[in-house]
Amino acid sequence: MFAWQKKGLVFDTARRSVGAWMRHSALTPTPVALDDGRIRVYAGFRDAEGVSRIGYVDVRADDPTVVTGVSREPVLDIGRGGCFDDNGMILGDVVQGPGGLHLFYVGFQRVARAKFLAFTGLAVSCDGGEHFRRVQETPILDRAPGRSTIAAVHSAHYAAGRWRLWYAVGDDWEPIDGKPFPRYHIRHAETASLDVIPRSDQVCLRPRGSEYRIGRPRVYRLDGRYVMYFTRGNRTGEYFPGVAVSDDGLAWERRDESLGLSLSDSGWDSRTICYPALLLQHDRLLMFYNGNDMGVDGFGVAEARVHAPADAAHVPA
C-alpha cells in the first residue's frame, strides 16, 4: 500500500523526561497538525509505577524527528479514586468537534478479579489543546453485552452532525504461561450525540488463526476508501500492525501483507512494532508508532510519499 521509510526514535523518554509523571513510555502516539510548522503528538506517559497520564510532544512539521516542545505537566491527569480512569489512561483519538478539540481516551482501573478494566472517556479543550477537561467522570462507552471488560474508542470521525466510532471490545481473557491477557476485537457504532452511544453495534474485524486480540483501530479516508491500521497479537508473542480496507467503514478486507514496514535489526523497534497513527502532510504520510514493550522507549516516525488524492484532507489527526 505504502513504502514506509523509518526516520528513527523521535521522543526518547529516558533522555527527555520532564518530571516523575513521565518516567518512561509514550503510549499510542496520536498526531495533530497545529499549523503549517508544528505537529503535536499526544501520548500516554508512565510514571515509575506504570500509571500513565496524557501529555504531548511538539515536533517540526517539515522534519518530525526534531522535538520543539514537551508538555511540562499532563494535559489530562488520572481520575478521582474509584473512577474508571484512576489507574492510568492511553490515547484514543483527538478530533475537532462541536465545542472544541475532543480527546477520546481509554481509562484503566484495577479490580480484584480481573487484570484490569478499560473503558472510554472524553475530555474537551477550548484552548487549542493545551488543557482538557472531562465531560464527565464516567465512561461515554461503558459496559454492554460483549464488552464487559474493554470498550476502547481509537478512531472518531465527525461529519454532517454525526459521529462514527471504531473501537476495541473485550469480554474475557487468554491464559498464556499462567498469566491472563485480554482478548478483544474491533466494532463500530454511529451516533448523533456522544451522550447517547448505541449499545448495539457492528463487528468489523475479529482475530484469525493464532491471534487472540486485534485492536487500536485507526481509520482514515485515503484514495476514496476507508483504510484501517490496527495492532494484532497471537499466543507466540507477536505484536504487530495489520491493515484493512473498506468501502463503507463496516465490512473490512484484511491486507496485512501491504503494511510496508518491518522490524529493525536492532534497537527500540527490533522486537515489536505497534499502535501506528497517520498524518497527511501535503505529498507525504507520516506514521507515528511505538516499538518494543508497547512503547517503553518512546515513539518513532516513518514516512511515505503519496500523490495526495482529492479526499486526502479527510485524513483525521
Side-chain angles (χ1 to χ4, degrees):
M1 186 171 291
F2 298 108
W4 296 99
Q5 181 182 3
K6 291 183 178 181
K7 297 298 183 179
L9 184 63
V10 174
F11 185 78
D12 182 348
T13 49
R15 294 191 303 110
R16 294 184 177 272
S17 171
V18 295
W21 67 280
M22 191 185 282
R23 184 62 57 86
H24 66 86
S25 302
L27 302 164
T28 57
T30 305
V32 177
L34 294 183
D35 49 48
D36 288 340
R38 270 189 311 164
I39 296 170
R40 176 159 291 175
V41 183
Y42 291 97
F45 301 91
R46 282 177 164 164
D47 63 19
E49 296 180 349
V51 176
S52 59
R53 297 162 174 82
I54 303 301
Y56 65 76
V57 176
D58 287 344
V59 300
R60 280 174 43 180
D62 62 342
D63 185 354
T65 66
V66 177
V67 174
T68 61
V70 180
S71 54
R72 309 304 298 181
E73 57 187 26
V75 298
L76 187 68
D77 211 331
I78 59 173
R80 185 168 54 87
C83 291
F84 77 102
D85 52 0
D86 67 358
N87 198 58
M89 56 191 65
I90 61 173
L91 244 298
D93 205 355
V94 184
V95 180
Q96 194 67 44
L101 197 60
H102 286 53
L103 187 150
F104 297 79
Y105 69 95
V106 183
F108 290 87
Q109 187 174 33
R110 299 183 67 180
V111 293
R113 295 184 179 273
K115 188 175 183 179
F116 61 79
L117 302 178
F119 296 102
T120 299
L122 176 64
V124 176
S125 173
C126 298
D127 62 3
E130 291 294 327
H131 306 88
F132 288 85
R133 177 174 293 182
R134 289 172 174 81
V135 299
Q136 59 192 46
E137 289 190 309
T138 54
I140 63 164
L141 188 66
D142 205 341
R143 286 174 166 152
R147 58 180 198 236
S148 61
T149 57
I150 297 173
V153 170
H154 283 288
S155 279
H157 292 194
Y158 181 75
R162 296 191 66 81
W163 291 93
R164 297 192 70 179
L165 307 172
W166 290 266
Y167 46 88
V169 301
D171 208 34
D172 58 357
W173 307 88
E174 180 82 9
I176 302 176
D177 296 331
K179 297 180 180 179
F181 290 82
R183 294 186 182 127
Y184 45 82
H185 64 276
I186 296 169
R187 297 189 185 186
H188 167 274
E190 186 173 347
T191 182
S193 172
L194 295 174
D195 293 331
V196 189
I197 299 175
R199 290 169 64 87
S200 59
D201 53 20
Q202 181 162 336
V203 173
C204 293
L205 288 174
R206 291 188 183 274
R208 67 183 187 186
S210 63
E211 297 168 350
Y212 68 92
R213 55 180 173 174
I214 177 172
R216 219 260 167 152
R218 297 290 298 159
V219 176
Y220 307 95
R221 288 282 292 174
L222 291 168
D223 247 345
R225 304 190 77 184
Y226 290 92
V227 179
M228 179 193 294
Y229 286 77
F230 54 87
T231 301
R232 53 195 169 88
N234 59 28
R235 290 185 57 88
T236 61
E238 180 189 41
Y239 203 51
F240 203 72
V243 183
V245 296
S246 172
D247 290 325
D248 59 6
L250 299 175
W252 294 87
E253 176 188 346
R254 284 182 62 166
R255 294 185 180 177
D256 297 351
E257 69 286 349
S258 68
L259 177 65
L261 194 69
S262 59
L263 296 172
S264 297
D265 292 334
S266 62
W268 69 280
D269 62 350
S270 59
R271 292 182 284 107
T272 299
I273 291 174
C274 55
Y275 310 140
L278 308 188
L279 181 68
L280 182 71
Q281 290 287 98
H282 304 296
D283 63 344
R284 64 177 179 165
L285 273 173
L286 300 176
M287 176 194 286
F288 294 86
Y289 67 97
N290 287 137
N292 302 341
D293 302 314
M294 300 183 181
V296 67
D297 296 310
F299 65 83
V301 68
E303 178 182 309
R305 291 292 173 178
V306 297
H307 296 294
D311 65 348
H314 296 292
V315 177

